[in-house]
Amino acid sequence: MGEAWIIDAVRTPRGRGKAETGGLSGIHPQELFATTLNALVERTQLDPRDVEDVVVGTVTQVGEQGGCIARMSVLAAGWPNEATGVSLNRFCGSGQQAVNFAALGVMAGQQDLVVGGGVESMSRLPMGTDKSGLDGHNRHLREQHPLVPQGISADLIATLEGFSREDCDAFAAASQERCALAQKEGRFDGSLIPVKDAEGNVALEVDEHPRPGSTVESLGQLPLSFDKMGAYVQKGDTLSFDEKAKQVYPQIDGVDHVHHAGNSSGIVDGASAVLVAAPEYAKAQGWKPRARIVSMATAGDEPVIMLTAPGPASQRALAKAGMQASDIDLFEVNEAFAAIPLKVMKDLDVPHEKVNVNGGAIALGHPLGATGAMLLGTLVDELERRDQTTGLVTMCIGGGMGIATIVERV
């Protein structure tokens, strides 16, 4: 098995996912991803004809994000017709999976140069636009696995693990504080690229979702997001979402709802891309690698609680690398909800000082299909800044899955 080197990683700013008012809401998602492709060309002087594939993660693959957005983005970027693209959907893990697939092609010796990344325009294609529901409206599946919305799953995790609202709010306040410091010190600048509109004007050049100054006290004033949803009964069902959760986890008295807009990930637009190369090809171009992919893994877990698999996925990736969690210098754990990183830290026995040191999706937002590749770039940037060596990215995924990738600076 060969090595896969990360040559560079870029991302757009995260724009608020609000139609008309979000900084990136006026940019077609194909153009968003095309921006990252051309940034890689500008930064590395790569020849697009040598790129053997462009793998793109996108969750809502309909309308403007349908029709193989990977290939359409390649064409929108003005790349030659020879450049190909493929789109994938592993829910929130899509962007990370895209990079992992890019690395697998290189490590297998079948490809020399691949781009992996993701894009999501949540202002133009909000969650639910694909009308797939929780289970594809498959009654037979619902009888086997009475799935509930992710917010209910996050609250279920908090209930079972004993995470209080105050615990989740404290984590959220820390995410905002760390993000504010990172922005002030320019820690994101190495990967961050501006997005321009069709006239060449800058549409957005900084992340616009963070809420600096958020405190446990201010977060404590926000209304809960999923308590009323927990009492909802879907058409054709007899149990509410909370009752479904209790049916699968009878040891709880009920779901303790603790999550709200301030301790959950923000809805944003964005795109990201990672350039992955075989060592021989990179050396021939005179490129200095920034990191190598050490190992990668996915794992599944019970689908009603849904969001607990980052720990098992991380353990599997660590085992493949012959490592322990204590061997990892920095972790990036997607902050879909505050209970998720709290659960991962507990599962892996990792201190908060190593996790999301520049904040996470609670502060910055979570552009679904793009986030995983963004986290890889953020991780490599921070390893370089701190002169540290190893990092792990992990994400929770809908349907009860997790994904993990371990990288090492070269």
Side-chain angles (χ1 to χ4, degrees), residues 53-77:
D53 210 359
V54 176
V55 189
V56 179
T58 305
V59 175
T60 305
Q61 295 194 23
V62 296
E64 293 178 335
Q65 291 182 166
C68 190
I69 191 172
R71 170 62 172 174
M72 299 304 112
S73 297
V74 166
L75 297 176

Side-chain angles (χ1 to χ4, degrees), residues 302-389:
E302 196 282 308
V304 173
I305 202 166
M306 194 180 302
L307 308 175
T308 54
S314 297
Q315 293 286 18
R316 183 173 285 175
L318 287 164
K320 290 179 181 294
M323 303 173 73
Q324 303 290 327
S326 57
D327 297 323
I328 302 296
D329 294 316
L330 293 175
F331 292 79
E332 286 290 334
V333 182
N334 188 39
E335 297 174 359
F337 303 92
I340 310 310
L342 289 174
K343 170 70 170 163
V344 172
M345 289 189 290
K346 185 176 180 179
D347 287 349
L348 301 181
D349 191 22
V350 175
H352 195 187
E353 290 72 25
K354 283 188 173 185
V355 177
N356 301 359
V357 295
N358 293 324
I362 289 173
L364 290 159
H366 173 26
L368 301 184
T371 304
M374 288 183 170
L375 294 182
L376 282 163
T378 297
L379 177 62
V380 172
D381 284 344
E382 189 62 16
L383 287 172
E384 291 174 346
R385 192 185 76 83
R386 294 177 176 232
D387 194 22
Q388 292 181 313
T389 304

Side-chain angles (χ1 to χ4, degrees), residues 244-260:
K244 288 182 178 182
K246 182 172 172 52
Q247 182 184 47
V248 179
Y249 293 90
Q251 64 268 43
I252 64 173
D253 294 327
V255 178
D256 183 13
H257 294 285
V258 300
H259 289 95
H260 51 77

Side-chain angles (χ1 to χ4, degrees), residues 7-312:
I7 304 302
D8 204 2
V10 298
R11 73 169 178 91
T12 69
R14 293 168 171 92
R16 283 192 301 270
K18 295 184 179 296
E20 299 181 2
T21 61
L24 297 178
S25 63
I27 311 297
H28 194 289
Q30 293 173 6
E31 301 296 337
L32 269 186
F33 192 76
T35 297
T36 66
L37 290 175
N38 285 329
L40 287 176
V41 173
E42 182 177 346
R43 288 160 61 114
T44 67
Q45 305 304 305
L46 71 88
D47 184 346
R49 290 178 176 80
D50 286 353
V51 176
E52 294 181 70
D53 210 359
V54 176
V55 189
V56 179
T58 305
V59 175
T60 305
Q61 295 194 23
V62 296
E64 293 178 335
Q65 291 182 166
C68 190
I69 191 172
R71 170 62 172 174
M72 299 304 112
S73 297
V74 166
L75 297 176
W79 280 25
N81 293 341
E82 293 89 340
T84 60
V86 61
S87 304
L88 65 89
N89 180 4
R90 198 190 281 278
F91 297 132
C92 295
S94 297
Q96 187 173 349
Q97 185 63 69
V99 179
N100 285 0
F101 278 162
L104 285 170
V106 171
M107 294 167 79
Q110 297 301 303
Q111 295 170 311
D112 289 325
L113 188 65
V114 188
V115 174
V119 61
E120 204 81 36
S121 180
M122 300 181 75
S123 63
R124 298 167 77 104
L125 293 144
M127 288 185 290
T129 302
D130 61 1
K131 300 182 179 179
S132 62
L134 296 172
D135 48 24
H137 310 289
N138 182 348
R139 174 59 58 179
H140 177 249
L141 174 60
R142 189 175 301 179
E143 291 171 353
Q144 297 178 76
H145 300 288
L147 300 181
V148 300
Q150 285 194 7
I152 307 295
S153 297
D155 285 341
L156 176 59
I157 291 170
T159 303
L160 288 165
E161 297 294 336
F163 301 146
S164 67
R165 173 169 177 159
E166 290 72 24
D167 294 332
C168 293
D169 285 353
F171 185 90
S175 181
Q176 294 284 1
E177 182 179 6
R178 292 177 177 192
C179 177
L181 178 61
Q183 286 186 310
K184 180 180 178 181
E185 295 186 352
R187 297 184 189 180
F188 300 133
D189 293 354
S191 296
L192 198 59
I193 57 172
V195 176
K196 297 181 179 179
D197 61 22
E199 288 71 43
N201 302 309
V202 173
L204 190 66
E205 56 186 352
V206 295
D207 296 305
E208 62 177 356
H209 185 270
R211 298 293 183 267
S214 297
T215 64
V216 173
E217 292 71 26
S218 65
L219 293 171
Q221 303 303 309
L222 297 176
L224 295 171
S225 294
F226 307 109
D227 52 342
K228 293 180 181 178
M229 183 186 294
Y232 179 73
V233 179
Q234 284 180 294
K235 183 179 180 180
D237 289 350
T238 58
L239 298 178
S240 70
F241 288 132
D242 278 1
E243 288 169 336
K244 288 182 178 182
K246 182 172 172 52
Q247 182 184 47
V248 179
Y249 293 90
Q251 64 268 43
I252 64 173
D253 294 327
V255 178
D256 183 13
H257 294 285
V258 300
H259 289 95
H260 51 77
N263 60 24
S264 306
S265 56
I267 294 173
V268 293
D269 304 334
S272 54
V274 179
L275 184 64
V276 182
E280 296 76 13
Y281 180 90
K283 291 173 184 177
Q285 309 308 308
W287 287 340
K288 180 181 178 182
R290 299 182 64 192
R292 71 181 182 95
I293 305 288
V294 177
S295 69
M296 62 199 84
T298 57
D301 211 338
E302 196 282 308
V304 173
I305 202 166
M306 194 180 302
L307 308 175
T308 54

